[in-house]
Structures are given as structure tokens and as C-alpha cells.
Amino acid sequence: DAVALAHDLHSLLVASGNSGPYVLAGHSAGGLYVRVFAATYPNEVAGVVLLDAQSPHTNSASAIGEPPQSPIKTLAGMLPALARVGVARLLLSAESSDLPPEFEAPRHAQEVTAKGVSSFVTEFIELDHIQGAVAVLPDLGDRPLVVVTAVAEALGGWLDQQDRLATLSTNVSHRVFPDLTHVSLIESERGALASSEAIQSVVQAIRSGTSLDGLTAGHQ
């Protein structure tokens, strides 16, 4: 679960010799794990970046437009078995990205193995529980927070959820990109630049002791 992931990450950081404080960046469901880490180790987190992050205020099923106990959950349970015979390759296509072929090909090959698909399914099943736990966590106070939202191909209500995430700190910038998708935000050259700039903004705000650009109500 998210608490175990937070402890694992903390152990890795300690073992690496990097004592912090840290700026945490979480994409998609990673945004939930970032929130748990920040709540578990509040004195070690100086700032946060949420990259088209999953909101804790909607369950995983409704977030993708499906009712509870929907066929997609049934399919999710079948994918590990399908992957063993290669059928998952027909169901999970790699979205185009700007990643170099030498990185994209092995990454996608790993995702559609039985182990890779099983990992995805396990995370998917646990999301409801994780979202419920994150929904009651304290906010970030005045720690710098940049929320980056990819609007292209997003379902209804996604931008509203992102706006709500932007209320987690009193020192926040919400940056909205109408032409970026959930995946291209981290896998396209332009999306990666936007994500990197968000992280740099938080680092600069911390080091200078100044606030972010104050886009708490506006979109960029």
C-alpha cells in the first residue's frame, strides 16, 4: 500500500546518503504516494509537484468512467494470465512518445509481461483503499506546490479535480496544458520540459524563500 511505498522510498533515500529535505514529484497515481510520504515524513519534504496526479476524491472506477464491479475490473483480473500467452500485447498498445526507441521498446516489452501486468492490476485494485486514506490527510500548509494538468483526452471532471488539488497549499501554481495528454506530459519532449520546469520552480522557491507565481485561481 501507499504507506509501505513511502517507507520503502524513505529507506532508499537514507541508504543513498541523500538526507533531504526533498522535493517530491508524483505523476498519476504517484501523486497519491507523494501525499502519503509528505504526511509520514513532514519535516523531510520541502515542496511537492503533482503531475496530472490522481485525485483522492474519486475512486479509480469512476475516474475512468466505469461503475463499480465494471467489466474493466474483470478484464484487469484476467490480464496476468493473458500476458503469459502474449495476448496482452494486443490489448495494451504503446502510446506514441518521444522516448528514444532503445528505451521505449524494452519499457513496453516489460509492461506487457505477466509480471508487469500483474503489478498494474495489483495497483489498480488497491487504488480505492489508497484514495480513501489520502483523502483524510492534512494539506501541505505553505510548502511550495506546483500542480501540472494535462487536459487533452481527459474525461469530464478531471480539471475540477486538479483545481481541488491546487488548494492543498497556500503557496501554489496551477499550470494547465490543453494540448498535452496524461502520458505525453512525461513522455513527450514538450511535456517533459513542462514537468521539469515545475520541479525547478519549486526548488527555486524553496532556495530563495519566495512564493510561486501565484496562479492559484488562473490557468497557464
Side-chain angles (χ1 to χ4, degrees):
D1 59 18
V3 173
L5 288 172
H7 289 324
D8 286 348
L9 176 57
H10 187 261
S11 296
L12 288 169
L13 289 169
V14 171
S16 73
N18 293 297
S19 58
Y22 311 110
V23 171
L24 302 180
H27 174 255
S28 193
L32 299 171
Y33 307 141
V34 161
R35 295 276 310 281
V36 172
F37 188 102
T40 306
Y41 304 100
N43 295 329
E44 299 181 34
V45 177
V48 171
V49 178
L50 297 177
L51 301 171
D52 216 38
Q54 177 69 48
S55 168
H57 301 291
T58 177
N59 61 44
S60 57
S62 63
I64 57 174
E66 296 288 341
Q69 305 304 322
S70 66
I72 194 170
K73 287 197 172 183
T74 301
L75 176 61
M78 295 170 56
L79 283 178
L82 294 174
R84 297 182 186 279
V85 294
V87 179
R89 291 180 182 273
L90 301 176
L91 301 174
L92 302 176
S93 60
E95 181 173 337
S96 61
S97 71
D98 294 338
L99 293 178
E102 62 267 28
F103 295 106
E104 170 62 29
R107 189 282 301 270
H108 181 58
Q110 172 61 28
E111 285 181 344
V112 297
T113 63
K115 181 178 181 180
V117 175
S118 178
S119 176
F120 164 78
V121 171
T122 299
E123 181 178 32
F124 182 85
I125 292 172
E126 290 294 325
L127 272 183
D128 284 350
H129 169 72
I130 294 172
Q131 287 174 300
V134 173
V136 298
L137 292 178
D139 61 24
L140 299 171
D142 62 354
R143 282 176 285 187
L145 166 68
V146 175
V147 176
V148 183
T149 301
V151 176
E153 301 181 6
L155 296 179
W158 184 252
L159 185 55
D160 290 339
Q161 295 168 22
Q162 297 291 297
D163 283 337
R164 186 168 180 176
L165 291 178
T167 67
L168 291 172
S169 172
T170 58
N171 184 8
V172 62
S173 171
H174 188 185
R175 305 176 183 184
V176 178
F177 295 88
D179 57 341
L180 290 177
T181 69
H182 187 68
V183 174
S184 69
L185 181 59
I186 60 171
E187 293 192 4
S188 71
E189 185 173 353
R190 182 166 180 272
L193 178 61
S195 298
S196 298
E197 288 178 343
I199 296 170
Q200 291 171 346
S201 294
V202 171
V203 172
Q204 291 169 1
I206 295 166
R207 288 178 173 173
S208 65
T210 58
S211 65
L212 292 164
D213 54 14
L215 297 179
T216 55
H219 295 151
Q220 173 175 303

